[in-house]
Amino acid sequence: MRALSFLLIPLALAGCATPRAGGVEPAGLAAQAQRVTITRDDWGIAHIRGRTDADAVFGMIYAQAEDDFNRIETNYLVQLGRLAEAEGEKAIWQDLRMRLFNDGADLRTRYAASPQWLQRLMTAWADGLNYYLATHPETRPRVLTRFEPWMALSFTEGSIGADFERVSLADLEAFYGKPRGPVLARQDPVRQKDPTGSNGIAIAPAITTGGNALLLINPHTSFFFRSEQQVTSEEGLNAYGASTWGQFFIYQGFNDRLGWMHTTSGLDAVDEFAETIFRQDDRILYRHGAELRPVETRTIAIPYRSSDGSLSTRSFKTYRTHHGPVIRSENGKWISIALMHKPVEALSQSYLRTKARSFDQFLRAAEYKANSSNNTIYADADGNIAYLHPQFAPVRDDRYDYTKPVDGSDPRTDWRGVHEVRDLPSLRSPPTGWIQNTNNWPYSAAGPHSPREKAFPRYMDTFGENVRGLHALQLLGSRRGWTLDGLVTAAYDSFQPAFAQLVPGLIAAHDAAPRTDPLKRRLAEPIAALRGWDHRWGVDSVPTSLAVFWADHLFETLPRDVRSRGNQVPAYMANETSPEQKLRAFAAAVERLERDFGSWRTPWGEINRFQRLTGDIDQPFSDAAPSIPVGFTSGAWGSLASFGASRQDGSRRYYGLRGNSFVAAVEFGRRIRARAVSAGGQSGDPRSPHFNDQALRYATGDLREVYFYPDQLRGHTKRVYKPGL
């Protein structure tokens, strides 16, 4: 019956009043605003309640706009391919990339054909934003002075890096443009980047002290990328968690019955095809089997803000095959790209899973097959824990290596539909009693009871294992007696497996160096500091400073192709670099510490800092301004709590830009128990008391209580109001 009721949700919503088109005046929206109540708790977090789901969406997006309208508008300028209208000619190629996939006319058509229940939510979304602008004349949008319901379809899945971002802007410019300045450089970081993607852990009731399932929600994103909210309605919506600015669904979070955590997947769901091009008279053709097919063409006009403030336009003739848009050329071939573009289905799946009441209902939402990039770790009040692979998994001929461009003229390389959800790697309540994913492959998700690699095509995973995965496996093992507090402690466990692999080789290189080598004596004391180290981070740890600076310098010495190997890099650094490389990189690290901080004996917390000075999306940093020490390091070294930091704006200190952003631990009993923390604070306004009020808790892993129920809000409520008042 529960599953049946879930199936009827869209039908019930479709039976509501026909959604109105955008354009309702503010006075007409005031009545809807009266059906919404926003409660701000003592952390500034908005708890929104609406009579209907549409009312709740109206209030949800209104509250987001109160906290950071700039981030909402910027996200939609990016997704609509209109960023150059605000930021000028430098954003033209980013806009062109987006417009190859998101076309306004197409989105309008899809909106008109979408189910009425979804149209109603999209209309409420646009109305909430427009009502905010009407009631806050002091807010001056850069471009988007009015939102239309169809715009919600431009940004539907919630991931921090959408699939289209795989397209190189430099290559796009080289193919379609006549550069007026230097061609954009390919991204080639000089230090090990902190891996984005996140950690998820689910614990079954059988190995918890309370007999309830537990869930760790730990996304690693750029800071301040999502808003923490609770949104409820009288139609069964009651979701809490992190919502990407501008979206009307909780992306990573929980309701009163179940919770979900997304981690970036190694599934190959984006492929490139090398097209063989022919020119006949004024036509451009491409080979597919025995056929010569015409290349589709479309002119895309990109408006951009000129230096004098006026709008100018550049137009591009773009090309497309049946595989997808052409994005570059390589070795005489045109390269087209295939990826998921299902905006209506993706938005439907993203929203409906927040209303699921059971595992079966959650699976029903997954049948939209509109998640291409995220694994899901799941837990619920019925005691289920689960792992789900991304549901948009194209069927391909596994003889071909789709990690590189395949021959587009060979029909055997074409996609052949999408795998059924039941045929993907998955787990439900394995005998281990736990499931984990750290952007590693699914084949270690539950230890010995994981899906078997040989049972699936190679393209189901391109990541392999990683050091965070090894860390999680070590922590989970055969441990029992898990509690909510124990799960939080595990999320901040300070062990760094990569350094346990790397440092012994450095010490051995030093020990084996001849006595005549000047580096042997020069490095004797810092090597001694590492010799007795337990490979754990901490604000007072000098070995952490030495190890991180050394690993960064060693990374710089690696060949270009090795740097891009992701999960394989730590093992390469440990096993494939010479003793001389290791020692010279360590000498450079010691010299850098002495030059920047006066001594190599500088504790890690003096270097690694959290700082939030302004609400700018590209924020400034300063060694002279206040900041907070952070003990945890980059996830690249195996720290589950991840802090991606580096020197910024000529600083000596490392300042974090990404990593742990929203962290929550949830227990699913008769009542939800949860603790959470967000980077910095809820508001993007430096004048707000909630701009940076969570910074110290964030830096120390001191998660606060989540006020999920009305009785928990009593005594913790700062304001109750209606939108517009």
Side-chain angles (χ1 to χ4, degrees):
M1 291 300 293
R2 287 181 179 176
L4 178 60
S5 67
F6 183 74
L7 282 169
L8 294 177
I9 287 174
L11 298 176
L13 291 172
C16 298
T18 301
R20 53 182 184 272
V24 177
E25 295 304 314
L29 298 179
Q32 184 166 23
Q34 287 299 306
R35 300 194 297 271
V36 177
T37 301
I38 300 175
T39 301
R40 294 279 184 175
D41 67 25
D42 48 17
W43 296 99
I45 295 163
H47 303 255
I48 301 103
R49 184 166 185 82
R51 186 175 305 169
T52 65
D53 282 8
D55 294 337
V57 165
F58 179 100
M60 180 185 190
I61 200 63
Y62 179 95
Q64 283 186 31
E66 288 184 302
D67 289 333
D68 207 328
F69 177 81
N70 180 39
R71 290 182 184 274
I72 294 174
E73 184 187 20
T74 299
N75 278 345
Y76 281 90
L77 290 177
V78 170
Q79 299 298 321
L80 293 166
R82 298 182 62 182
L83 188 63
E85 294 178 50
E87 299 189 356
E89 198 168 5
K90 66 180 182 180
I92 282 177
W93 301 105
Q94 189 172 349
D95 283 354
L96 179 62
R97 178 175 67 181
M98 188 67 258
R99 295 276 294 278
L100 290 174
F101 304 98
N102 268 350
D103 174 70
D106 174 66
L107 294 180
R108 288 182 179 91
T109 299
R110 291 174 187 263
Y111 167 80
S114 65
Q116 284 198 355
W117 69 268
L118 186 59
Q119 288 189 36
R120 186 174 182 84
L121 299 183
M122 289 188 279
T123 298
W125 170 85
D127 286 347
L129 287 169
N130 291 330
Y131 191 60
Y132 168 81
L133 291 175
T135 55
H136 291 76
E138 72 280 5
T139 298
R140 297 183 179 275
R142 294 192 290 170
V143 174
L144 299 177
T145 58
R146 186 165 196 82
F147 290 82
E148 297 293 334
W150 62 268
M151 293 179 179
L153 290 175
S154 68
F155 193 18
T156 57
E157 193 190 357
S159 298
I160 188 167
D163 290 343
F164 67 83
E165 291 185 2
R166 308 279 188 92
V167 176
S168 161
L169 295 180
D171 289 342
L172 197 68
E173 181 178 3
F175 185 81
Y176 283 115
K178 296 179 180 179
R180 300 182 179 184
V183 174
L184 297 172
R186 291 178 181 271
Q187 187 177 23
D188 185 19
V190 295
R191 65 180 299 274
Q192 174 74 315
K193 283 188 64 180
D194 184 67
T196 58
S198 319
N199 304 321
I201 295 175
I203 309 291
I207 60 172
T208 67
T209 59
N212 301 316
L214 301 173
L215 178 66
L216 173 67
I217 298 170
N218 182 199
H220 297 166
T221 68
S222 55
F223 292 161
F224 326 123
F225 184 73
R226 295 194 173 104
S227 169
E228 187 174 347
Q229 294 183 297
Q230 182 178 20
V231 55
T232 64
S233 79
E234 296 175 17
E235 295 180 335
L237 177 66
N238 186 6
Y240 188 108
S243 177
T244 305
W245 292 106
Q247 294 184 325
F248 61 77
F249 53 87
I250 298 296
Y251 181 64
Q252 289 159 322
F254 54 94
N255 60 35
D256 60 324
R257 293 288 305 164
L258 53 85
W260 57 96
M261 169 60 207
H262 299 307
T263 62
T264 300
S265 179
L267 167 72
D268 177 9
V270 178
D271 291 325
E272 294 183 338
F273 296 83
E275 311 287 8
T276 303
I277 300 298
F278 299 88
R279 296 180 185 270
Q280 290 184 359
D281 300 325
D282 59 347
R283 297 195 306 160
I284 302 177
L285 308 172
Y286 70 102
R287 182 175 300 283
H288 189 252
E291 299 179 81
L292 287 181
R293 298 183 176 183
V295 173
E296 298 177 34
T297 62
R298 178 166 67 98
T299 298
I300 298 177
I302 306 293
Y304 66 94
R305 185 72 56 187
S306 298
S307 57
D308 63 2
S310 64
L311 277 180
S312 300
T313 302
R314 287 187 66 181
S315 294
F316 302 89
K317 185 177 182 180
T318 64
Y319 305 99
R320 185 183 188 92
T321 73
H322 73 286
H323 296 122
V326 176
I327 57 170
R328 71 173 193 277
S329 60
E330 181 179 297
N331 299 324
K333 305 280 188 178
W334 285 10
I335 307 299
S336 61
I337 191 167
L339 49 77
M340 184 186 84
H341 185 61
K342 301 172 64 176
V344 172
E345 295 87 345
L347 188 55
S348 299
Q349 179 172 342
S350 295
Y351 183 80
L352 287 175
R353 67 174 167 240
T354 71
K355 295 194 69 174
R357 308 291 295 162
S358 68
F359 182 63
D360 288 344
Q361 292 179 3
F362 197 87
L363 280 180
R364 186 70 63 181
E367 289 294 342
Y368 279 91
K369 300 178 184 177
N371 164 20
S372 64
S373 60
N374 289 293
N375 311 312
T376 303
I377 306 298
Y378 169 99
D380 67 29
D382 295 322
N384 295 296
I385 62 172
Y387 168 88
L388 300 179
H389 215 51
Q391 295 84 52
F392 182 84
V395 178
R396 282 152 285 187
D397 189 328
D398 204 30
R399 292 176 297 174
Y400 299 97
D401 181 5
Y402 286 89
T403 64
K404 302 173 183 176
V406 293
D407 183 1
S409 68
D410 185 348
R412 293 173 296 181
T413 66
D414 281 2
W415 286 2
R416 294 175 290 178
V418 179
H419 283 276
E420 295 299 324
V421 174
R422 64 177 177 271
D423 296 330
L424 303 172
S426 64
L427 288 167
R428 180 177 181 180
S429 300
T432 51
W434 51 262
I435 292 172
Q436 60 81 29
N437 187 262
T438 62
N439 319 118
N440 53 344
W441 60 2
Y443 309 125
S444 62
H449 298 283
S450 304
R452 299 301 180 191
E453 180 184 5
K454 292 182 179 179
F456 300 96
R458 288 180 298 166
Y459 54 74
M460 284 296 176
D461 179 77
T462 61
F463 283 176
E465 188 57 271
N466 66 21
V467 284
R468 279 183 292 129
L470 296 175
H471 190 177
L473 291 169
Q474 179 188 46
L475 284 173
L476 292 163
S478 58
R479 178 177 166 183
R480 306 180 69 84
W482 285 92
T483 64
L484 188 65
D485 289 344
L487 184 58
V488 172
T489 299
Y492 289 87
D493 185 82
S494 59
F495 185 60
Q496 299 166 102
F499 288 132
Q501 296 177 22
L502 287 164
V503 169
L506 171 62
I507 294 172
H510 179 267
D511 292 348
R515 292 183 179 181
T516 55
D517 188 339
L519 288 181
K520 191 175 183 77
R521 177 177 294 181
R522 169 80 176 89
L523 300 177
E525 288 190 58
I527 285 289
L530 287 177
R531 198 180 295 275
W533 186 37
D534 59 3
H535 310 119
R536 292 187 174 275
W537 51 253
V539 293
D540 298 322
S541 173
V542 170
T544 298
S545 303
L546 288 166
V548 171
F549 273 51
W550 168 60
D552 282 349
H553 278 282
L554 186 60
F555 180 80
E556 292 176 18
T557 70
L558 303 182
R560 181 186 298 267
D561 67 303
V562 173
R563 299 187 201 186
S564 62
R565 293 184 187 178
N567 295 344
Q568 302 172 33
V569 171
Y572 185 97
M573 292 169 68
N575 302 320
E576 303 299 328
T577 57
S578 69
E580 182 181 5
Q581 275 181 284
K582 291 180 172 72
L583 280 179
R584 292 195 177 280
F586 191 58
V590 170
E591 289 171 8
R592 185 65 188 249
L593 282 166
E594 291 176 337
R595 182 170 66 251
D596 286 359
F597 299 98
S599 171
W600 62 261
R601 295 180 177 87
T602 304
W604 179 236
E606 287 296 312
I607 300 168
N608 200 50
R609 314 288 287 190
F610 178 90
Q611 186 177 79
R612 192 182 194 191
L613 301 177
T614 74
D616 298 346
I617 293 176
D618 294 321
Q619 52 187 328
F621 296 91
S622 172
D623 286 339
S627 60
I628 296 172
V630 176
F632 43 99
T633 60
S634 166
W637 314 126
S639 176
L640 292 179
S642 180
F643 192 70
S646 60
R647 290 180 290 274
Q648 305 291 335
D649 301 332
S651 70
R652 293 178 301 108
R653 286 173 157 172
Y654 281 16
Y655 294 102
L657 291 171
R658 59 196 175 273
N660 276 18
S661 50
F662 170 69
V663 186
V666 192
E667 181 175 7
F668 296 93
R670 288 186 300 173
R671 280 171 60 99
I672 292 289
R673 290 181 59 225
R675 296 171 59 192
V677 71
S678 292
Q682 177 68 13
S683 175
D685 183 353
R687 298 167 297 180
S688 168
H690 305 300
F691 176 70
N692 215 30
D693 58 339
Q694 297 185 56
L696 185 58
R697 284 181 175 267
Y698 168 84
T700 58
D702 183 16
L703 277 60
R704 52 180 169 69
E705 180 186 8
V706 168
Y707 310 135
F708 188 78
Y709 298 100
D711 63 338
Q712 292 176 300
L713 276 168
R714 294 189 195 114
H716 297 286
T717 296
K718 293 300 182 182
R719 187 183 175 205
V720 181
Y721 60 102
K722 302 289 186 181
L725 299 178

